[in-house]
Amino acid sequence: MNTQTDRELATLQKSLPSSYYISDDIYRREKEQIFCREWLCAGREEDLPAPGSFVVLDVLGESVLVVRSKSGQLKAHYNVCRHRGARLCLSPQEAQKETVKLGWGISSAGTIRCPYHSWTYGLDGELLSAPFLRDREGFCRESLSLHPVGLETWGGFFFLNLSPADASAHDRTLLRQLGPVPERLTRYPLSELRTARRIDYEVGANWKAIAENYNECYHCGPVHPELCELVPDFKRHGGARLDWENGIPHRRGAFTFTCTGTSGRAAFATLSQEERERHKGEIIYPNFLLSLSAEHVVAFLLWPQGADRTVVSCSFMFHAGEIAKPDFDPSDAVNFWDLINRQDWAICRRVQQGMCARVHQFGYYAPMEDLSLDIRRYITERLGAL
Ligand code: FES
Ligand SMILES: [Fe+2]
């Protein structure tokens, strides 16, 4: 091998080993040691508008029931009956696949009834009744509430924690996990936004490859020509020296991520002058990416489906006041983002394919990919040293 190249490579940081992106064993460890421990962004409070509203979410194979309780609070439970383990509620997609209709999980009276033997729970998860069983028969209702899932909110998003007792024993709060992000985004009216459009993308790549890709702009020049037209700094110096803290400027005359770089929608009223003209992005491991323009915000939730597959749920959010206008049309932002997204997912899939090559043991991070190094530290801190 050429010694010049050897010397150059010696200065580059190595990526995680390729096996971390393709091994089922690593995926199972990530599920237990990351996704079952950390707070996961899982949706918007607006998804559950009234008491009795519910959603069923698949979190790496764990079915979670999120409900709005009678008092108006959001609650989350493992979607499994304490009696013999039947799944209590189905998502609309799951219900469609069932060829016979079993009893529906949530009643209009605000209870969750198991379709098997009719054990019935309150929306807060407490067991209310179990036919023909009484406390004196060695049956104690109080100890048979639904298994809880932690739920916290921030900025109109709700977050789940699959090990809530462990999280509170170790003071793993949502706010700690969010770190400096709430302060950095304090002028964005996130809780006043509403989702105008959501697209779920099935991406043939490991979730970490997607997070790494989000974290660097070294790829923007080759992969995103349209985006670089709008934000020339993304390709200048290979995407190095980007000031994410203060935002990235657009080309002259442009101020947002749409096909034209402009919009008739009003900028969020509380933003600073810089934020009205620049673009910001945040990543909150393990599954939450935010991209913030002057008048819309895009949220990406990563839902790993296996070592080599991830569903990316992409929500396009606008101020409720703009959505209420009769001529509101989000397609200028949605179409632009959809193009950028599909470019990203296509290149992530190529990476996933390439990493399976028997000769590819690991990759390198170029200096302008420093932020991608975060994931190597994040993973090794949680799964142990390489
Ligand atoms: S499994 Fe739920 S009531 Fe029997
Ligand atoms: Fe990209």
Side-chain angles (χ1 to χ4, degrees):
M1 197 192 274
N2 169 325
T3 49
Q4 172 75 30
T5 310
D6 275 349
R7 259 200 307 278
E8 281 169 11
L9 289 182
T11 66
L12 298 181
Q13 293 285 335
K14 285 181 184 172
S15 73
L16 288 164
S18 313
S19 57
Y20 274 57
Y21 299 80
I22 59 184
S23 145
D24 292 336
D25 182 47
I26 294 284
Y27 178 71
R28 275 191 291 275
R29 285 171 57 195
E30 287 177 342
K31 175 180 170 182
E32 284 308 315
Q33 289 165 240
I34 296 175
F35 286 88
C36 288
R37 282 192 183 183
E38 310 276 334
W39 290 93
L40 309 175
C41 187
R44 294 282 297 169
E45 292 185 69
E46 72 207 57
D47 299 341
L48 300 101
S53 300
F54 73 97
V55 293
V56 174
L57 297 169
D58 181 309
V59 183
L60 286 80
E62 303 293 330
S63 185
V64 176
L65 175 61
V66 184
V67 299
R68 192 172 287 281
S69 72
K70 285 183 177 167
S71 66
Q73 279 189 307
L74 290 185
K75 298 277 180 178
H77 318 288
Y78 280 86
N79 187 16
V80 53
C81 181
R82 293 296 306 272
H83 176 217
R84 293 263 303 287
R87 184 161 288 185
L88 295 164
C89 298
L90 301 181
S91 67
Q93 296 85 344
E94 289 170 325
Q96 247 181 7
K97 285 187 202 146
E98 214 167 53
T99 55
V100 292
K101 289 291 160 229
L102 299 172
W104 188 236
I106 297 207
S107 74
S108 52
T111 58
I112 306 165
R113 187 166 62 83
C114 178
Y116 201 176
H117 311 91
S118 291
W119 282 28
T120 300
Y121 304 86
L123 298 177
D124 289 314
E126 73 283 15
L127 178 60
L128 299 175
S129 65
F132 312 112
L133 293 179
R134 288 165 195 246
D135 288 357
R136 63 183 161 79
E137 291 165 327
F139 157 82
C140 174
R141 269 193 302 147
E142 284 70 29
S143 63
L144 290 168
S145 297
L146 296 177
H147 292 291
V149 170
L151 191 147
E152 295 282 347
T153 60
W154 169 75
F157 294 96
F158 67 85
F159 296 73
L160 302 176
N161 189 300
L162 295 188
S163 305
D166 193 49
S168 67
H170 294 91
D171 202 25
R172 281 202 298 269
T173 62
L174 173 63
L175 273 185
R176 263 182 81 174
Q177 191 172 317
L178 294 174
V181 172
E183 180 60 30
R184 283 206 293 254
L185 301 186
T186 190
R187 287 175 295 278
Y188 289 85
L190 295 175
S191 54
E192 293 166 28
L193 305 186
R194 297 292 175 267
T195 302
R197 185 86 192 277
R198 184 170 296 165
I199 303 177
D200 285 350
Y201 298 93
E202 295 208 10
V203 185
N206 183 276
W207 68 276
K208 299 187 292 300
I210 297 169
E212 284 174 316
N213 177 70
Y214 186 78
N215 246 343
E216 52 95 350
C217 244
Y218 191 29
H219 74 277
C220 289
V223 175
H224 301 305
E226 300 82 359
L227 180 58
C228 289
E229 275 281 299
L230 178 64
V231 186
D233 279 9
F234 278 168
K235 69 175 174 192
R236 211 165 280 151
H237 314 297
R241 298 179 224 154
L242 294 171
D243 181 4
W244 285 104
E245 189 93 18
N246 293 305
I248 314 296
H250 302 76
R251 70 163 180 256
R252 189 184 294 274
F255 62 89
T256 184
F257 272 28
T258 60
C259 304
T260 59
T262 62
S263 167
R265 289 179 291 271
F268 302 134
T270 42
L271 297 185
S272 68
Q273 191 54 39
E274 262 191 344
E275 287 164 339
R276 287 161 189 258
E277 295 163 2
R278 294 174 168 229
H279 190 83
K280 290 191 177 181
E282 298 284 355
I283 180 163
I284 298 144
Y285 291 120
N287 86 321
F288 185 30
L289 323 178
L290 269 178
S291 208
L292 304 109
S293 286
E295 40 60 68
H296 75 272
V297 171
V298 184
F300 301 86
L301 309 188
L302 308 186
W303 293 116
Q305 306 291 302
D308 59 355
R309 285 181 305 126
T310 307
V311 167
V312 182
S313 183
C314 181
S315 294
F316 302 90
M317 301 186 298
F318 301 81
H319 199 278
E322 288 293 329
I323 294 180
K325 292 181 178 171
D327 59 348
F328 172 74
D329 177 4
S331 58
D332 55 346
V334 173
N335 293 347
F336 184 72
W337 269 108
D338 185 50
L339 172 67
I340 309 304
N341 287 345
R342 286 183 291 106
Q343 290 166 338
D344 275 326
W345 314 149
I347 202 65
C348 287
R349 182 159 178 271
R350 295 273 197 110
V351 170
Q352 189 71 29
Q353 290 169 327
M355 282 192 297
C356 296
R358 56 191 283 275
V359 291
H360 190 85
Q361 306 295 313
F362 52 83
Y364 294 97
Y365 295 121
M368 57 287 272
E369 295 176 285
D370 269 358
L371 287 172
S372 296
L373 267 168
D374 276 0
I375 203 144
R376 192 180 73 184
R377 190 182 63 245
Y378 182 84
I379 296 292
T380 49
E381 277 174 6
R382 285 156 182 81
L383 298 196
L386 301 178

